[in-house]
Amino acid sequence: MVRIALLILIPFIAASQNIKRITGVNDSYPALSPDGKTMLFQSDRSGDVEIWSIAIDGTGPKKITNSKGYDGNPSWSPDGKVIAFASSRDGDLEIYVMNADGSNQKRLTTDKGNDGHPHWYPDGSRIIFNSANGTNIDEIFSMKPDGTNVQQITDLKSVSTFASVSPDGTKIVFRGSTDTPAFGWDMRSGKGQLNSEIFVMDIDGKNIVNVTKSSAFDGWPAWSPDSQKIAFASNRSGKANSGQLYVVNVDGSALQQVTDLPGAVAQPCWSGDGKTIYGYQLWETPEEQYGYVVQVPLQGGLPRPFTSVSDCYPVLSPDGKTLMFHSNRTGIWQIYSADPDGSNLKQLTDGAATNVGPVWSPDGKTIAFVSERDNDPEIYTMRPDGSLQTRVTNFPGDDSHPHWFHDGTRIIFNSAKNTPDQTKDWPLQFHDVYSITPDGKDLHRYTDNKTITTYPSASPDGKKLLFRKVTDSPAINWDITLNARGRNSEVFVMDIATKQQVNLSSHFAYDGWPAWSPDGKSVAFVSNRTGRSGGGQLFLVDANGGAVRQITDLPGGIVQHSWSADGKFIYAYQCFETTNSEFGNIIRIEL
């Protein structure tokens, strides 16, 4: 029966999916300062790709470029006072320099074609970079920090990129293609498919040696501080789009894999003591890639996220003209608005406290959301431009996941206010469904389930409630465990008048994030019933019960969704999870 069901589902999914990514946040190309106190990276968290700095403890992100176009590939001068970088602000990609605080930005190259990936010589006397110089083939060049005395180092008539000089100043490492175009991660069968290698040569470009010698994509080489080892990324494991970091001696011996993480890991840079590598952990689809910076200890320990950006909980305005969501793109969860295509990004909340979970009132004039600005999570309202932020609830414990009744007269939410012991961990508290007027009056309670009851919403006709209820606590994460307390939760619908509850999902799995269709006839929800850890997908069920249909089958997990007013689209959060973090973006699913 299971095999037959899957065969039926797959054509439905393939025919119904038209997926478009709406928000895109990408933290990549980490570069650690010579004193080890500051990390540079490039990110599109502000809407386009700019260079950011952040303290080595991951705090205080600061944007230090602000131009139209791409600013990236940052590289510190040896004294930490100047940054070389690549920018497309004047048309094609050129090399620029600026002070460490972003001031005094100057263009150095003026060639036709792209110039990129600058790195400083260890004595600061020159900058090495790759340039197409009006062709489709990159060669390696160097120049003085003022852009003069340009010298060509290679003439290999193939793609040569990511060059850097060893800390002892004697050698150059670079990535060279042995079979063009050599750009993608994928390993394809057959001759002439995307191979590149790591090469080392003398400082004058002579005595080129292939260090990696594999049929895989090997790229992004980086010197260890003692000039004895090279870190690089490779997909030699054979899994498409799954490159990991490796370290090898400069003579090609003692190859060692140093990461085995979800997605791919690339663009390594070393700490000054050689004990840590920072890299770019990314996920790829056929159209794009995105990810964040991770810290990889080489002397034991586990990799941890260094930057982690997620755009979550998308909700479209009733008139379909504005998308609201929350994001940690500045380091703190705040609420943003954007056009439905992701453009015209605006930050609506700020401060040191978390602000999340925005939802539109039916008339589109008010936003309800959750804020921790007064210590525990409470319900607030504001105008769509972020003005008139007003507290609505004032109860002990967690008040969250607000939604509006269809007529805009009440806000429904879940609260732990009646938990007998609120000193217990959140998963062990009792969460029930309540509603309140937008001015914070006339509190009404709907459930007494003595378990976690969350994500409530009222049906479009105001007669039923939808919520997720834990049937075997704690039921917090995606994983399906094998013990008796298997973290199961279900999607329920309740008749407000009779209090009768009906289980719509009926499956031993994590089922949650239920959302009414605009006509109230269907419910979209998330489930990990496919069995993939961290890989919940969207499912659809009739509001009166019946057969459950899977509507997405995408990498990662698809959660926190909402419908467009015409029922033709669902906006959702596509997330990728590791052991201790998650990352993702907003996508639009055409039904």
Side-chain angles (χ1 to χ4, degrees), residues 113-373:
N114 289 336
D115 301 323
H117 306 112
H119 279 273
W120 294 79
Y121 278 50
D123 61 1
S125 63
R126 300 185 70 82
I127 296 171
I128 194 170
F129 63 102
N130 54 261
S131 175
N133 198 21
T135 71
N136 292 322
I137 301 297
D138 284 89
E139 299 286 358
I140 297 171
F141 295 77
S142 73
M143 61 183 169
K144 290 185 176 181
D146 61 2
T148 63
N149 191 225
V150 177
Q151 298 177 3
Q152 184 170 344
I153 300 175
T154 63
D155 189 18
L156 299 176
K157 306 294 191 296
S158 65
V159 178
S160 301
T161 56
F162 303 108
S164 62
V165 179
S166 59
D168 63 11
T170 63
K171 295 184 180 296
I172 295 171
V173 69
F174 66 98
R175 169 253 183 170
S177 64
T178 58
D179 211 346
T180 57
F183 287 110
W185 278 113
D186 289 345
M187 297 181 67
R188 305 176 187 176
S189 60
K191 188 177 180 180
Q193 296 296 326
L194 303 177
N195 185 47
S196 69
E197 305 282 4
I198 305 302
F199 293 88
V200 171
M201 60 185 173
D202 293 341
I203 193 68
D204 59 4
K206 298 179 180 178
N207 299 320
I208 299 175
V209 176
N210 186 339
V211 175
T212 48
K213 296 179 181 178
S214 78
S215 60
F217 181 101
D218 301 317
W220 293 287
W223 289 103
S224 64
D226 62 5
S227 302
Q228 300 301 305
K229 297 179 182 294
I230 296 166
F232 67 98
S234 176
N235 67 345
R236 60 185 58 207
S237 67
K239 294 186 293 184
N241 302 322
S242 186
Q244 298 294 324
L245 293 186
Y246 294 75
V247 171
V248 67
N249 289 341
V250 71
D251 63 0
S253 64
L255 178 71
Q256 178 187 5
Q257 185 174 347
V258 296
T259 65
D260 186 14
L261 295 172
V265 190
Q267 302 167 6
C269 79
W270 295 73
S271 62
D273 58 10
K275 295 181 179 180
T276 303
I277 291 176
Y278 292 86
Y280 167 45
Q281 185 177 11
L282 67 146
W283 287 265
E284 288 191 306
T285 70
E287 295 81 23
E288 59 190 349
Q289 69 182 36
Y290 43 102
Y292 55 87
V293 177
V294 292
Q295 184 186 60
V296 183
L298 296 180
Q299 306 295 326
L302 296 173
R304 71 171 181 86
F306 186 77
T307 67
S308 181
V309 184
S310 293
D311 293 334
C312 318
Y313 279 92
V315 286
L316 193 63
S317 59
D319 63 7
K321 294 181 179 180
T322 305
L323 186 70
M324 200 80 67
F325 62 96
H326 69 248
S327 173
N328 68 346
R329 55 180 64 205
T330 61
I332 299 173
W333 292 104
Q334 301 292 352
I335 295 173
Y336 294 77
S337 67
D339 291 347
D341 62 359
S343 63
N344 196 24
L345 181 71
K346 297 178 182 178
Q347 183 175 338
L348 302 183
T349 61
D350 56 19
T354 293
N355 296 280
V356 295
V359 287
W360 293 89
S361 63
D363 62 7
K365 295 181 180 180
T366 308
I367 306 294
F369 64 101
V370 177
S371 179
E372 296 183 8
R373 65 189 67 181

